Every structure is written in C-alpha cells, then in structure tokens.
Amino acid sequence: MAQDKDPQEKVPARKPFTSVTAVAAPINQANVDTDQIIPARFLSLPREKMSPHLFRDVRYNDNGSPKPEFVLNKPAYKNAQIIVAERNFACGSSREMAVTVIQDNGFKSVIAPSFGDIFFNNCFQNGVLPVMLPEARVNQLLRFLLELPGAEITVDLPTQTVKGPDGMVDTFEIDSFRKDCLLKGIDEIAMTLGYEADIAAFEKKQRSANG
Amino acid sequence: MADAAKPATLFEKIWRRHVVVDRPDGYTLLYIDRHLIHDGSYFAFQRLKNRGLKMRRPDLSFGTPDHYMPTNTRNKEDVTNPDSKRMVTGLAINGAEHGVTVFDIGDRRNGIVHVVGPEQGITLPGITLVCGDSHTSTHGAMGCLAFGIGSSEVTHVMATQSLWQKKPKTMRIDIDGALGFGITGKDVILAIIAKIGTAGGTGHVFEFAGSGIRQLSMEGRLTLCNMSIEGGGRAGMIAPDDKTFAYIAGKPYAPKGAAWDKALVEWKALPSDAGASFDSDVRLSGPDIAPMVTFGTSPEDAVPITDRVPDPSTAKDATKREGLTRALAYMGLTPGTAITDIKIDRVFIGSCTNSRIEDIRAAAAVAKGRKAVVPSWIVPGSGIIKEQAEAEGLDKVFKEAGFEWREAGCSMCLGTNGEIGHPQERIASTSNRNFVGRQGKGVRTHLVSPAMAAAAAVSGHFTDVRRMKV
C-alpha cells in the first residue's frame, strides 16, 4: 500500500515564496470576477498561450490596441509584481487560469480586503500569495499607487507583513499550514500521498460501516 | 472532536464523518465520496499524467462533457475550434484510460454536470462531493456537502480522493413563511444575494431553512443552492426530507433494497439538531419575495420586477457607488427606469441553475399560445430532461411559440462552446452570472427565473409573470 518511492522524488518541490519588493498595480474596482480576469473563450488554450489575455476585454479595444487608461497598460506599472485590488477580488468561476494568468504576467502576490474563496485557495496551489488587509488600509494603498505610479510595496511572508510606499507596516493573518507550504514550496499532492495509510484506513472504516 | 451529544448542524455531521486526518494547525484532510468531472477537467487529467500518477478511486468519479459542446448538434466532429474539440473528446478518452464512468455526447444521460449528478442518483444525502466548477454548490440541495474546487485540487482528488480543508463557518438563511404565487427558487436566491451581497457568505457554508424552503420542490432547491456561490458561499445545503427521498428513490445510482432502507435511516438523522448554533443567521420573509430581475453586473444587483433601476448616488459607500455607476453604463440603463420598461433582445432559458424539467414546464406554461418576439432558446439540462419534456409535448409548445428547442449543455450561460450574444445585446437569462462579458463581449445579461424569461420573450420587455394568465 505504501508508495514505492518517496513522492518528493517524482515531483520537484515548487519554488518557495518568501518575500517580494516590487511595483504594485492598483485595480480600484470591487467584485472583479474571474470572467474579467480571463474571459471564458480563452479557457481551452494551453497555458503558454493564455498570458496575453489577462483582463483581455477591459485591457484592449476591439481592434486589439491597448486601452491607455487601463492600469496594466501604463508604463509605470510595466514591471509590477503585486496587485492591489478592492473587496471580493476574483469572485465567481472556479477557473484556476485566473491565478495562473496573473502569475504568468509576473505577479507574485495580490492584496485585497477580501477574495473569492475558490480563487484564494487556487492561489496557494500555484505559489501565489493572497494577502488580506483591512479595507481602509487597502483604500489608502490604492490612493498611493494611483498618485505615485510605480511605487513599490514589500510583501514579506516570514514576518507576515506588508510595507507600503508610505513606509507603514501592516501585519496580515495566514494559516500556518498555508504559510508553511508556501515557504517550503511544498507540493500538496506529494504531501497527501504521505498520508496514504490514513486514507486507506478511512476507506476501510467507511466500507465496513456501509457493509 | 466535538462532543457527540452537543447539538450539531447538518454541515457539522457530514464534516465529522469525513475527517481522515485533523492536523494541529487546523487543517483537515477531508475524504471525498463523489467527484464529478466534465470537459473542462482536461488539464487536470493532463497534470495527473505528467506526474505519472493514477486515479485512486476512479469508481467514485463520474464525467459528462457539458461546457464546450455546441447545443445545436450531438456530433463531436461539429466542434470546429481544435482547442475546444480536444476538451470535448478528451473526457471520454481519459475516462476510458482511467476507468471512470462517462456519460458521453450521444448518451441520453449526458448533460450539465450539476443536473446529471442528482438525476442519476450519484448525488446523495450525507456525502461529500466536489467538482472543478463553482456551481457544485447545487448538489447541497440533496442534503450533502458539495463545493467547487480549482483544477489543481481536481488533480489532488484524482490522486488521493481527499482534500485539505480548513473548516468553514456556517450561516443559516431562514425563509420565514410561505412564498407567494409564482415565486421560484431563483427569486428566493436572488432576494437573498441582494440582501447579503455577493461576498456576504465568503468563508461560509449556507444552510437554507424555514417554511419557505421546505415548500420548494427539489428542482427549486437545486436552483437555490446552485447560486450559493454568487452570495460568496462555497456550499449551500438543505436538510433532506421526504421530498428529497422521493426524488432519489429509483434513480440509477441510488441505493436499492436493504441498502436503501439502511441509507434512509442515516439520512433521516442528518438534519441540524434543534438548538444547533450557526456562526451567523440571516432571515428573510417568504411572503415578501417578489419575482426578481438583475439590472447590473453583479448578482447582488437584483430588484423586484415592480421596482426601478436604482440611483447610484443613493449607494451606501463610494466603492458601491462607483461600481453601480460603472454597471449601469455597461448595461445601458438610466437610474429610475421601471424594470418593466426594459426592452430585451434575446432570451436564454437553460444552465445548471434553471434547466430542469420543472423549469422547462414553467417556461412552457407561459409560452403556450403566445409568440416569442425576440430570439429565444430553450436548452434542457440533460438528454433525459429533453426526452421527458418531449414526451410531455413541451417541445411542440415551444416550437409553436417560436422558441428554439436545443440539445443539452451549458450553452449561453458562459459561452465556452461558442454560443454567445452580440455586443450590447440585452439578454433575459435564467443562468447565474450577469458579469461583464459573461455571455459574450459587451453583452448585457439580466438574471431571471424561467417563467419570467418566457414572459420577457413573449412581451419583448420584462413583465410581471404573476399578472399573465398562465
């Protein structure tokens, strides 16, 4: 029943997340849904072809030219690696491409007052850090980022802190399980396969209860 | 573990029974009894294969292609987009390779995954069920714990038949008092979301309770739980009762004979105990709920048919004000417009929210003897529902009324199969999301019940179906 070899040998651990200091892009809109992040018509594309379509319909005109007013089209945010957004970011569809398309555009962390639950989980599955900060502080950060395009933010996982362009430091909550997985780059499937005996015992118990 | 004598909720009872491992850091490895897959699960299979892993329990997974198959044909060769075709054809191929039961295109049991599960008796009270689709919350109407997961978690379930979960909070949503004439599960859930907001249930599992819920048919309950996710709740549940048991009895994958008797005893013990406490409680008055219509780009932007498009300047905060202003600009609506004055260009009746036999019957009752004045589609939720509706002569009612009677699938709910509206087209839709671009770039979606959609189809504008002779 036990694995014939250590599952960690089969799959290299994911790249760990520790800290990022980078330009942050403000998305000052509440309830941004995953349909906006990656419209459904691109979902059957292989991952390597999907990244140009991040925020496709709000980012580009019908003729494919970029809308200059959209934040990710502004030169100041070109190298952004952090997104700051309003409440309930990435609600809606479970499409994990909403995370991977953000990641493939160079983003490592998303800060918002709240997230869609499934997107929040999907972030951890891909090594992207979702950070929840109080709404008042997020609004303050958004204002800074809009007034000082290109301003940087530091998200530090070991100390669970976010340092804003104003130098103010906020701490954030994260479950120790999630933190540990990110810091060590743990692959969840590999980890769970280590619990094989427990799963088998559960199945045996369930079978006898139903038998 | 909690004291067994302490009053427990329906959720708590199911959760406890599925704990494989409780870690000291608060995470639980939860056993998954049923895993539903669809054509969108293609990449999860690919990931499994790339890692050289096998499915742990293919016997607990069931598949049906629904998202990418056009609904004007049952021939997979008609899927012209090669990426989509790979998804549609991939499910049966992967299913055969791993030993998973697949209700493929052409099989009468094929249909929308959240319609097929309950219809086949795969979804049962007391179980845990997941699927790589946010509307998996639908299945909770059968008295089980069901929630949507991402593609990585789909691979995780394939490999381990379990998931790491942090125990969610619970919210009881009580609908007190009987619902009025013509009020459906769709109206109830839109009224709930309008009250709690689209993030109101974030981190929570809902339990819908009260006399207004008991009154709903199983179809109505499935509609209600389906849109839990639109209120932020990953799962919605309803305690199983005699209606639930009657619905399940005789379904192909439901227990039979002695196993049925044994299951029934267990199922009857599932409802939340008297005195069980929830992390939060919400109450709505059943008799006050009217037919609902959304006017904006979030499901929380819902008002009674008797109401008007709200004025953003009355919004409770700046974020909401800006959101509403943006939404009304996208929707091409002026504040103060009566909902009944909004003209529509197209009607879509279908989706995992509203494509079951009762939905089709409700739409047919309105369509009968009338004429659709805009293009109107009826997309049944499964081949079986299509057959049943045809046996009842409903397809003829629709055809005579100028509606288009189509094959089963997700269709225009999200348009992954290419069935989308035109920019600025205004659609009365029985689906679940009125998001910007959801039904096609620039498309303006209004969410309504099937009867309200049919009423709009024959009127050309939103109409209070309670005032129509049906």
Side-chain angles (χ1 to χ4, degrees):
Chain A
M1 291 293 262
Q3 292 299 304
D4 48 357
K5 54 179 171 175
D6 180 357
Q8 294 286 6
E9 282 174 29
K10 277 191 216 169
V11 183
R14 221 181 17 227
K15 206 173 153 217
F17 183 106
T18 46
S19 185
V20 56
T21 298
V23 171
I27 311 263
N28 55 327
Q29 194 176 325
N31 300 326
V32 170
D33 56 73
T34 54
D35 274 84
Q36 282 185 61
I37 296 172
I38 180 76
R41 65 184 184 277
F42 302 116
L43 295 182
S44 61
L45 289 178
R47 180 167 174 174
E48 60 273 17
K49 288 188 186 166
M50 208 177 287
S51 64
H53 304 297
L54 170 65
F55 287 114
R56 184 68 180 73
D57 293 340
V58 278
R59 192 175 177 182
Y60 299 99
N61 294 306
D62 288 343
N63 63 11
S65 63
K67 294 182 182 177
E69 71 278 13
F70 187 72
V71 59
L72 298 185
N73 293 333
K74 293 180 181 172
Y77 304 108
K78 189 166 168 277
N79 296 318
Q81 294 179 38
I82 297 166
I83 287 174
V84 180
E86 289 190 26
R87 65 184 174 227
N88 201 25
F89 183 74
C91 57
S93 157
S94 62
R95 60 190 69 170
E96 194 159 320
M97 296 82 162
V99 176
T100 54
V101 78
I102 283 175
Q103 186 173 39
D104 292 348
N105 276 270
F107 294 98
K108 297 186 168 64
S109 178
V110 186
I111 301 169
S114 59
F115 293 88
D117 276 344
I118 303 179
F119 176 88
F120 191 76
N121 281 331
N122 287 343
C123 279
F124 292 107
Q125 300 291 335
N126 291 281
V128 171
L129 173 60
V131 173
M132 281 196 265
L133 289 182
E135 188 152 27
R137 178 56 178 162
V138 171
N139 287 341
Q140 213 173 32
L141 288 174
L142 284 167
R143 220 164 35 243
F144 281 129
L145 299 175
L146 290 165
E147 286 166 8
L148 304 164
E152 292 192 343
I153 284 179
T154 296
V155 179
D156 188 68
L157 182 56
T159 59
Q160 297 178 213
T161 54
V162 173
K163 187 177 170 194
D166 53 353
M168 263 185 56
V169 175
D170 289 86
T171 56
F172 63 88
E173 296 291 319
I174 182 171
D175 293 326
S176 60
F177 173 82
R178 295 297 192 196
K179 183 177 178 179
D180 208 39
C181 286
L182 280 179
L183 283 176
K184 295 179 184 158
I186 290 172
D187 175 88
E188 264 187 42
I189 292 179
M191 183 180 77
T192 310
L193 290 172
Y195 286 90
E196 205 283 330
D198 299 273
I199 299 170
F202 180 91
E203 285 176 333
K204 195 176 165 198
K205 190 182 78 184
Q206 202 184 43
R207 257 196 315 274
S208 62
N210 292 340
Chain B
M1 188 172 277
D3 178 8
K6 192 174 162 243
T9 62
L10 165 64
F11 161 77
E12 178 73 34
K13 292 177 190 184
I14 299 176
W15 178 273
R16 270 189 216 161
R17 268 178 222 180
H18 291 87
V19 173
V20 178
V21 175
D22 267 328
R23 281 169 59 112
D25 58 17
Y27 269 72
T28 295
L29 189 62
L30 198 70
Y31 195 76
I32 303 302
D33 293 324
R34 297 283 187 282
H35 183 203
L36 302 182
I37 55 179
H38 52 85
D39 38 7
S41 311
Y42 180 81
F43 296 115
F45 271 116
Q46 226 178 19
R47 208 173 296 124
L48 190 76
K49 195 177 295 184
N50 290 345
R51 299 181 59 145
L53 293 168
K54 293 213 175 338
M55 282 181 83
R56 180 181 179 85
R57 294 292 302 272
D59 57 317
L60 301 182
S61 284
F62 296 84
T64 173
D66 53 6
H67 283 67
Y68 291 89
M69 185 68 199
T71 58
N72 59 348
T73 173
R74 290 294 87 177
N75 184 352
K76 288 190 262 187
E77 291 307 311
D78 293 339
V79 184
T80 48
N81 177 326
D83 292 319
S84 299
K85 191 170 179 174
R86 196 181 48 183
M87 312 275 277
V88 173
T89 56
L91 184 60
I93 296 168
N94 282 317
E97 190 183 325
H98 293 270
V100 174
T101 302
V102 172
F103 309 118
D104 202 12
I105 304 297
D107 186 322
R108 60 190 285 274
R109 298 169 298 177
N110 171 259
I112 307 173
V113 67
H114 307 309
V115 172
V116 169
E119 188 175 75
Q120 288 298 318
I122 293 165
T123 311
L124 296 170
I127 65 168
T128 51
L129 181 151
V130 297
C131 172
D133 188 277
S134 60
H135 291 109
T136 307
S137 57
T138 311
H139 304 263
M142 311 297 298
C144 63
L145 175 61
F147 52 91
I149 56 177
S151 181
S152 292
E153 289 182 316
V154 168
T155 309
H156 190 282
V157 174
M158 286 173 168
T160 70
Q161 204 57 37
S162 62
L163 273 179
W164 290 104
Q165 291 288 301
K166 187 178 157 184
K167 197 173 183 179
K169 291 182 179 158
T170 54
M171 180 185 287
R172 179 171 52 197
I173 302 179
D174 259 302
I175 306 296
D176 284 332
L179 304 171
F181 166 76
I183 303 303
T184 68
K186 184 63 158 285
D187 304 308
V188 175
I189 188 64
L190 285 173
I192 291 170
I193 299 166
K195 182 181 168 96
I196 68 172
T198 182
T202 303
H204 290 76
V205 165
F206 297 144
E207 182 176 336
F208 300 104
S211 51
I213 302 296
R214 294 280 131 230
Q215 172 191 347
L216 289 173
S217 66
M218 289 315 292
E219 285 87 349
R221 295 178 188 183
L222 288 159
T223 300
L224 185 78
C225 289
N226 171 274
M227 287 186 67
S228 299
I229 184 71
E230 264 56 69
R234 251 180 113 182
M237 312 173 80
I238 295 174
D241 60 11
D242 288 342
K243 280 185 191 172
T244 322
F245 309 141
Y247 179 95
I248 299 168
K251 293 278 191 286
Y253 290 88
K256 308 267 175 354
W260 170 264
D261 296 336
K262 187 165 181 285
L264 210 53
V265 173
E266 278 175 27
W267 295 347
K268 285 183 174 170
L270 283 170
S272 295
D273 298 326
S277 67
F278 293 78
D279 294 295
S280 52
D281 280 279
V282 171
R283 299 187 101 79
L284 273 81
S285 159
D288 291 348
I289 298 173
M292 300 292 283
V293 182
T294 64
F295 57 85
T297 56
S298 166
E300 71 183 26
D301 301 336
V303 291
I305 178 70
T306 50
D307 211 335
R308 290 173 181 275
V309 175
D311 186 343
S313 68
T314 61
K316 65 179 193 298
D317 64 30
T319 300
K320 185 73 192 159
R321 188 157 57 241
E322 286 159 20
L324 269 180
T325 306
R326 205 181 297 117
L328 294 189
Y330 178 83
M331 295 297 289
L333 292 174
T334 314
T337 306
I339 298 296
T340 48
D341 286 343
I342 300 173
K343 290 192 174 62
I344 55 146
D345 305 312
R346 181 188 271 274
V347 168
F348 170 66
I349 297 174
S351 86
C352 59
T353 312
N354 278 129
S355 63
R356 297 178 183 83
I357 190 66
E358 184 185 272
D359 300 320
I360 312 274
R361 286 183 192 138
V366 175
K368 195 175 172 75
R370 297 189 171 97
K371 286 282 179 210
V373 295
V374 295
S376 301
W377 285 13
I378 313 280
V379 182
S382 72
I384 289 176
I385 290 169
K386 183 166 187 268
E387 273 182 17
Q388 189 178 350
E390 287 172 355
E392 295 176 17
L394 305 182
D395 58 322
K396 287 195 191 67
V397 170
F398 287 123
K399 284 172 195 161
E400 277 161 23
F403 288 67
E404 204 172 312
W405 179 246
R406 299 179 68 95
E407 302 288 344
C410 300
S411 186
M412 273 192 105
C413 172
L414 79 170
T416 34
N417 67 347
E419 292 166 357
I420 54 173
H422 311 298
Q424 273 89 57
E425 197 170 29
R426 190 179 297 287
I427 306 185
S429 177
T430 66
S431 54
N432 39 60
R433 290 187 175 135
N434 51 350
F435 294 163
V436 168
R438 171 81 174 178
Q439 294 191 296
K441 195 174 173 181
V443 172
R444 295 159 170 167
T445 303
H446 296 265
L447 305 176
V448 287
S449 73
M452 285 287 286
V458 298
S459 317
H461 56 84
F462 291 110
T463 301
D464 191 337
V465 70
R466 296 172 299 182
R467 294 176 177 277
M468 291 178 76
K469 205 174 164 200
V470 175

